[in-house]
Amino acid sequence: MPGFKVTRKKETGLALKMRQLGIRESDLCEKFVRSGGAGGQKTNKTSSCVYIKHLPTGIEVKCQRERSQSINRFLARRNLACKIENMIMRRVSEEKKRISKIRRQKRKRSKRAKEKMLKDKMKQADKKKSRSYARAISLNDG
């Protein structure tokens, strides 16, 4: 990422974050587009808007916040890294939720919960038994 007009510390921090997330420069498709908006003749003549696509994930980022192309390159890469990190974290949290749900389903019921469930089952059984008894009487009468 040579040529950025940002501090060395920020540049190395971003490079480290991209390495940790497994983002390689060879996986990025980078294009420069003329940006619109305020900025006058300078923005009309230079292609300072940066468009980056991460080919493995298909995530696209477009940045035209600054008038400088090099700063927009840095900001676009930072936004891309954040998006990929959020995608990874979401996938991890969904997996954790799925595992904890299975764990809850397999967990034994507490003694109190089991007693309550059995009590409700007995109540339902008594209700059904009384219906069948009433039906038997009505059939004998008919």
Side-chain angles (χ1 to χ4, degrees), residues 31-86:
K31 295 178 187 174
F32 302 101
V33 187
R34 291 216 174 112
S35 57
Q41 188 179 7
K42 169 85 170 129
T43 56
N44 297 336
K45 287 166 64 176
T46 58
S47 299
S48 59
C49 178
V50 179
Y51 166 83
I52 295 178
K53 182 175 183 178
H54 187 242
L55 298 174
T57 58
I59 294 176
E60 299 173 348
V61 174
K62 191 174 182 182
C63 184
Q64 61 178 24
R65 204 168 85 189
E66 300 292 326
R67 283 175 61 177
S68 166
Q69 187 185 77
S70 58
I71 294 174
N72 283 336
R73 286 183 77 202
F74 171 79
L75 294 173
R77 280 174 169 70
R78 192 170 69 181
N79 291 345
L80 179 77
C82 285
K83 280 188 174 189
I84 291 175
E85 186 178 33
N86 288 341

Side-chain angles (χ1 to χ4, degrees), residues 4-45:
F4 283 179
K5 293 180 182 176
V6 291
T7 61
R8 204 80 172 131
K9 185 178 179 183
K10 286 184 179 180
E11 192 176 319
T12 54
L14 178 61
L16 178 68
K17 187 174 185 177
M18 287 175 68
R19 205 174 310 117
Q20 287 173 344
L21 294 171
I23 306 169
R24 296 189 311 256
E25 285 292 323
S26 60
D27 292 339
L28 302 178
C29 174
E30 184 175 45
K31 295 178 187 174
F32 302 101
V33 187
R34 291 216 174 112
S35 57
Q41 188 179 7
K42 169 85 170 129
T43 56
N44 297 336
K45 287 166 64 176

Side-chain angles (χ1 to χ4, degrees), residues 55-120:
L55 298 174
T57 58
I59 294 176
E60 299 173 348
V61 174
K62 191 174 182 182
C63 184
Q64 61 178 24
R65 204 168 85 189
E66 300 292 326
R67 283 175 61 177
S68 166
Q69 187 185 77
S70 58
I71 294 174
N72 283 336
R73 286 183 77 202
F74 171 79
L75 294 173
R77 280 174 169 70
R78 192 170 69 181
N79 291 345
L80 179 77
C82 285
K83 280 188 174 189
I84 291 175
E85 186 178 33
N86 288 341
M87 184 185 75
I88 291 169
M89 295 304 282
R90 191 178 322 120
R91 194 177 298 148
V92 168
S93 69
E94 286 173 0
E95 183 67 17
K96 282 183 180 179
K97 282 181 189 175
R98 189 183 69 78
I99 290 170
S100 65
K101 182 180 178 185
I102 291 170
R103 196 172 283 145
R104 278 194 312 272
Q105 288 172 342
K106 289 184 174 183
R107 186 175 55 204
K108 279 189 170 181
R109 285 194 175 97
S110 67
K111 200 170 190 178
R112 187 174 180 184
K114 200 170 186 179
E115 286 172 1
K116 184 181 177 194
M117 184 213 37
L118 289 174
K119 184 179 167 186
D120 289 342

